[in-house]
Amino acid sequence: MTRLVLDTNVCLDLFVFKDPRWLPIIAALENQSIKAVTSEECRNEWLAVLHYAHLPITEETRAEFIKRFDHTITIENPIALPIILPRCTDKDDQKFLEIARDAKLEILVTKDKALLKLARKTRSLGLFNIMTPTAFLQTLIPAEM
């Protein structure tokens, strides 16, 4: 089973905006063919973002989004591994690299350009792949014959 981390913007697309392009990701999470992992720190960012005034979120829907996130994504707080990660230019995104490393995940799914720029480095370190949701979807869909 593929284990991965989803960054906050991808979670917004999945749970808040229900982007139809990413329905196969939700389906794979629900049928447990993939497993999403997060840290308490990443979850706290999720909770903070759900209070941003510009998002179409009410108190009622916020509770629903939190419940769906918590049902779908497992919180792990593993001990930090002594592997030096590349530094993300956006300090707020470093935590996604850290949970991917420390939980020994295979993939970090993101749309964040600062994280995507580090994909070659994390692969060359033998750690994890960093990919867009579109690229990740290609790993879920069997090749057409």
Side-chain angles (χ1 to χ4, degrees):
M1 173 187 311
T2 301
R3 289 172 24 99
L4 55 90
V5 62
L6 305 168
D7 81 0
T8 303
N9 285 319
V10 173
C11 288
L12 283 170
D13 282 353
L14 293 173
F15 303 121
V16 175
F17 299 115
K18 297 179 180 154
D19 190 322
R21 295 175 298 170
W22 316 141
L23 288 177
I25 296 174
I26 287 289
L29 288 166
E30 289 175 348
N31 72 27
Q32 300 180 353
S33 59
I34 62 173
K35 180 178 181 179
V37 173
T38 196
S39 66
E40 196 67 45
E41 184 179 8
C42 295
R43 183 180 181 273
N44 288 339
E45 178 178 286
W46 167 250
L47 297 175
V49 166
L50 292 179
H51 285 88
Y52 287 3
H54 69 278
L55 293 175
I57 298 173
T58 64
E59 287 300 320
E60 184 176 286
T61 59
R62 182 177 299 113
E64 173 190 322
F65 300 144
I66 293 168
K67 181 179 178 182
R68 188 100 190 266
F69 180 96
D70 289 344
H71 175 74
T72 309
I73 300 175
T74 303
I75 296 174
E76 291 185 14
N77 291 300
I79 296 172
L81 294 175
I83 299 168
I84 297 173
L85 287 166
R87 283 274 157 218
C88 187
T89 55
D90 183 345
K91 291 185 289 185
D92 290 334
D93 288 333
Q94 192 70 26
K95 63 184 158 288
F96 295 104
L97 298 169
E98 292 167 357
I99 186 62
R101 174 198 62 198
D102 298 341
K104 300 176 184 172
L105 304 178
E106 299 167 50
I107 301 170
L108 188 168
V109 181
T110 184
K111 298 187 306 181
D112 186 278
K113 290 178 184 174
L115 286 170
L116 290 167
K117 285 181 183 178
L118 300 175
R120 184 177 297 154
K121 288 181 183 178
T122 59
R123 266 194 320 275
S124 70
L125 291 169
L127 295 172
F128 49 88
N129 289 315
I130 300 174
M131 57 181 62
T132 64
T134 302
F136 176 64
L137 276 177
Q138 296 306 308
T139 71
L140 295 178
I141 300 167
E144 296 287 320
M145 299 197 104

